Amino acid sequence: MLVFVHRYDVDSEILTQAVVNYARERLRLNPVPLDGTRSRAELTAAVGETITPSGIGGIEALRIFDELLSRACISVDHPRNLSFIPAAPTKAAVLFDLVVGASSVYAGSWLEGAGAVHAENQALRWLSDLAGFPPEAGGVFVQGGTLGNLSALVAARYRMQTRRSAAQRSSKPTVWRIACGAEAHSSVETAARVMGAELLVVPADADGRLTGPALAHALDTADADIRDSVFAVVATAGTTQFGIIDDIRGIVDAAHERGIWAHVDGAYGLAALAAESVRHLFVGVADADSFIVDPHKWLFAPFDACALIYREPALARAAHAQKAGYLEVLEAADDWNPADYSIGLSRRARGLPFWFSLAAHGTRAYGAAVEKSLATARAAADQIRALPYVELVREPQLSVVVLRRLNWAPKNYYEWTEKLLQTGFAFVTPTVHEGETVTRFAIVNPCTEPADIATILGSMA
C-alpha cells in the first residue's frame, strides 16, 4: 500500500491535535517534572524497536516519546536544575519554535528567507546595542558557543593572513596561536585543535581573571616566533565554572596595540548586559572585534541559539562566504546572507524564537528577568555564609555560586547529587576546582527562588 507521507489527511489532523495538546500540557506544567536518566539497557527494554518497515504510526510514536523517552531526559527548565548552564525558555519562545518548524524556512540566505533574516537581525541589533557595537555591526545565530567561537577565530586568522599578504610578508608561522586565559572555555581549545592552531595560555590573576597587563607581558616576553604567531585573543565574559569576567578593557587594549583580533566569549555571561546592576563589569566589550552570547542560556530561548556578532562583518564575510556557480545568485551587494558569517551553509532560523519572545515581552522584561537571577544568586551566597557546614569557594560575580560542604569527600557529593535527582527534587552536580571536589549552582531561571536554594542547602546538613 502506497503511503503519501507528505499529504495532510485525517490521520494528519489527528496527529496535529495530539502534538498540539502535548505541547499545551507541557507548557502548562508548573513546575515541570525534573525527570531523570535511564541506562541504554533500560531504554532498549522499555522502548523496543521504533524504526520498522511499516511504521508504528504517529500517535504511537508520540506516546512512546511522552511516556518513555521524554521522561528519561532531565528537564533543563526545571527551577531546581542548577547544573552546568541550564535553560529557561519563555513560553512565547517555545511556542514560536513550533511555528519555525512548521514554516519550513531556510534562513541561510536573504533571497530565500528575507523575512526571517530581517527579524533575526533585529534581535542581533539589540544585542549589538547592549554591547555598544557600531550600527554597521552584525552577525548570525549559530548552533552554540563552540561553533560561534570557532567561526570568529577563523575570521580572525583570515584577517591576519590577509594583512600579511597585503604587506608582502612571504613568511608565515609554523603554527598559528590563540591567546587566552587559564579559565577560558574548553571550546577555545577545541577551536584551536580544529584549526590546527595552538593555545598561548596566560596565567590568571588571584581572582581567576585574564588581565590586560598579564596578556601584554606574555606576548612581549614570548619568543619572537610565538609572538608573531598570535592572531587572536579570547577574553571570557563569565566563565562556566565561576562566572568570572576577565579584564575585558585591558585585554582588548593590549590586543589592539599589537594588531591582534580581540574576541569576547560571553556565551553565558554577556546576557548580563541586559541587567543595569552589573553592566559596568563588561567595560571594553564595545571595542572588541567580535563576541558571542547564547540566548539559550540566560536569555530565555530554546536550544540551540548562539549569537555571533562582528564589529566589521565584511571581514567575516570574506573568511566564510562559500563560492559556487549555483550560489552566485545570492551575491547581491545589499543582501545579508547569514551563511556568509559562520562555518556552515544550511541553517534553520534558530534566532526567531528569541526574536519573537523579545518582540512579545519587550526588552525591559528581559532585564528584569536577568536581575531576578542575580538577586537569587546573591541570596544564595548570603544563605551559605549563614550556615556552619558550607562555605563559598569564592564570591559570586554573576549568577554562578560555587560552594563546598565542609568535611565531605568526593563520593559524598556524588551520592548527594544522585539522591536529589532520584527524588525528583533537584539536579545539582559536582565540579572540580584545583583538585578539590565542590558543587555549584548555576542560576539562570527567574523561577528559581531563594526558598529553593535554602531547601537544597538544607539537604546537605
Side-chain angles (χ1 to χ4, degrees):
M1 177 181 177
L2 184 62
V3 178
F4 294 95
V5 296
H6 292 87
R7 184 173 63 192
Y8 194 90
D9 53 18
V10 173
D11 289 340
S12 301
E13 177 63 26
I14 293 171
L15 181 57
T16 298
Q17 293 300 323
V19 169
V20 170
N21 287 338
Y22 170 86
R24 179 187 297 114
E25 293 307 310
R26 178 60 168 72
L27 288 168
R28 284 176 172 172
L29 294 173
N30 185 28
V32 299
L34 183 61
D35 292 325
T37 190
R38 301 180 71 178
S39 70
R40 183 183 303 178
E42 289 173 327
L43 283 172
T44 298
V47 175
E49 291 296 329
T50 59
I51 308 302
T52 66
S54 299
I56 62 175
I59 295 298
E60 175 61 9
L62 181 61
R63 182 196 68 80
I64 290 172
F65 177 78
D66 180 15
E67 298 179 4
L68 298 171
L69 298 176
S70 72
R71 303 181 193 199
C73 302
I74 299 171
S75 298
V76 294
D77 55 344
H78 190 283
R80 290 187 294 276
N81 184 338
L82 307 178
S83 294
F84 311 111
I85 302 291
T90 65
K91 308 302 183 187
V94 172
L95 284 169
F96 207 74
D97 212 19
L98 294 177
V99 174
V100 172
S103 298
S104 200
V105 173
Y106 171 73
S109 74
W110 185 270
L111 175 66
E112 295 163 278
V117 175
H118 179 78
E120 286 188 319
N121 284 350
Q122 288 191 340
L124 291 170
R125 184 66 256 164
W126 179 63
L127 295 171
S128 297
D129 288 343
L130 284 179
F133 264 32
E136 62 271 18
V140 59
F141 287 99
V142 296
Q143 176 183 341
T146 296
L147 191 58
N149 284 335
L150 175 59
S151 297
L153 291 169
V154 166
R157 184 173 64 179
Y158 182 86
R159 186 188 69 167
M160 183 68 80
Q161 292 170 327
T162 302
R163 283 182 172 180
R164 294 188 177 193
S165 177
Q168 298 182 339
R169 291 183 58 180
S170 58
S171 62
K172 66 177 182 179
T174 304
V175 178
W176 289 102
R177 288 179 174 84
I178 302 160
C180 64
E183 295 296 322
H185 192 267
S186 57
S187 63
V188 178
E189 181 180 3
T190 298
R193 187 165 60 249
V194 170
M195 297 173 70
E198 292 182 358
L199 295 183
L200 174 62
V201 179
V202 181
D205 68 5
D207 294 321
R209 304 184 312 154
L210 172 62
T211 68
L215 172 64
H217 177 76
L219 292 171
D220 293 345
T221 59
D223 292 342
D225 59 334
I226 293 177
R227 184 169 61 251
D228 196 49
S229 68
V230 177
F231 64 88
V233 175
V234 179
T236 304
T239 62
T240 301
Q241 181 86 307
F242 283 103
I244 297 169
I245 302 166
D246 283 342
D247 168 27
I248 301 173
R249 172 78 279 161
I251 293 166
V252 171
D253 289 346
H256 286 173
E257 287 167 5
R258 292 157 180 81
I260 298 171
W261 183 292
H263 172 67
V264 179
D265 176 2
Y268 150 64
L270 271 182
L273 284 171
E276 193 71 39
S277 66
V278 294
R279 194 173 297 162
H280 64 281
L281 299 175
F282 302 97
V283 171
V285 170
D287 294 315
D289 295 290
S290 58
F291 71 86
I292 64 164
V293 57
D294 291 358
H296 66 230
K297 287 186 168 70
W298 201 7
L299 286 174
F300 322 120
F303 294 107
D304 49 8
C306 165
L308 163 60
I309 301 177
Y310 302 94
R311 165 176 293 280
E312 298 182 55
L315 297 174
R317 188 176 188 276
H320 289 294
Q322 296 189 32
K323 302 292 183 180
Y326 73 96
L327 294 175
E328 287 188 7
V329 69
L330 304 179
E331 295 182 3
D334 60 344
D335 283 356
W336 186 276
N337 299 316
D340 289 346
Y341 301 98
S342 70
I343 295 167
L345 186 62
S346 299
R347 68 178 295 272
R348 71 190 299 267
R350 58 173 44 88
L352 282 186
F354 175 52
W355 161 81
F356 182 79
S357 185
L358 269 176
H361 295 298
T363 59
R364 282 196 300 269
Y366 270 70
V370 174
E371 293 282 16
K372 174 66 162 50
S373 298
L374 291 166
T376 301
R378 289 192 291 269
D382 290 341
Q383 292 176 22
I384 292 165
R385 292 188 199 94
L387 293 172
Y389 52 87
V390 289
E391 65 182 17
L392 289 168
V393 175
R394 60 168 289 136
E395 290 292 329
Q397 201 169 11
L398 293 174
S399 69
V400 174
V401 183
V402 183
L403 63 144
R404 62 172 58 88
R405 170 57 165 88
L406 300 178
N407 302 316
W408 267 16
K411 70 172 185 177
N412 298 119
Y413 286 98
Y414 285 94
E415 289 170 353
W416 172 71
T417 292
E418 184 65 22
K419 182 179 178 180
L420 286 178
L421 184 58
Q422 285 184 347
T423 59
F425 183 74
F427 184 46
V428 186
T429 51
T431 188
V432 177
H433 172 62
E434 296 182 350
E436 178 190 10
T437 300
V438 291
T439 196
R440 60 189 282 282
F441 303 153
I443 303 167
V444 298
N445 191 330
C447 296
T448 304
E449 299 289 346
D452 296 315
I453 302 298
T455 304
I456 293 171
L457 291 171
S459 70
M460 302 179 85

